[in-house]
Amino acid sequence: VQLQASGGGLVQTGGSLRLSCTGSGRSLSIYNMAWFRQAPGKEREFVAAIRSGGGSTKYEDSVKGRFTISRDNAKNTVYLQMNNLKPDDTAVYYCAADSPPVAVYSALADGRFYDVWGQGTLVTVSS
């Protein structure tokens, strides 16, 4: 599978963006999917993940209540709805796929389990 991330841009503090990650070559429904981000000068960090069945999600603490990950299998796309954005959310956002999907819930946040990565989309939040 190949992943194409899109939807990044420049937004003011408090604004919203929706990122999309579209798969090609294979259905994303069989993968655990996740979003990670990397800010300038910082290491990559986990943002959110959704299980292959779609019923279970996991979020990094700083985005809980503001970000929502979802998937639309018919469109072969995973979304990250980001609300109430803050300057600290500024980063390149990457989507990733994990197959075979890891069963341990805590492992959803571990980038080492993800096999395929998209190219990244830049989100800039101005203060």
Side-chain angles (χ1 to χ4, degrees):
V1 68
Q2 293 182 322
L3 303 176
Q4 178 72 40
S6 61
L10 174 64
V11 65
Q12 292 184 334
T13 296
S16 298
L17 283 174
R18 188 178 76 162
L19 305 184
S20 299
C21 176
T22 300
S24 60
R26 201 168 186 183
S27 172
L28 295 185
S29 63
I30 66 173
Y31 296 89
N32 290 336
M33 298 294 299
W35 289 94
F36 290 78
R37 65 187 180 187
Q38 187 165 20
K42 295 186 178 180
E43 294 187 352
R44 184 183 66 196
E45 67 172 356
F46 169 75
V47 177
I50 186 166
R51 282 198 183 277
S52 57
S56 180
T57 57
K58 183 176 179 62
Y59 296 93
E60 194 270 331
D61 286 346
S62 70
V63 307
K64 286 180 180 177
R66 300 189 298 124
F67 291 11
T68 302
I69 188 170
S70 62
R71 62 196 310 156
D72 184 336
N73 291 333
K75 295 183 177 179
N76 214 28
T77 299
V78 174
Y79 302 101
L80 184 68
Q81 178 66 44
M82 306 186 295
N83 298 327
N84 191 20
L85 282 160
K86 304 175 181 180
D88 283 350
D89 296 317
T90 295
V92 177
Y93 284 71
Y94 299 89
C95 60
D98 162 34
S99 180
V102 63
V104 177
Y105 181 74
S106 60
L108 288 173
D110 190 337
R112 295 173 297 176
F113 288 97
Y114 290 87
D115 313 286
V116 182
W117 294 78
Q119 86 289 0
T121 185
L122 176 63
V123 173
T124 304
V125 184
S126 63
S127 57

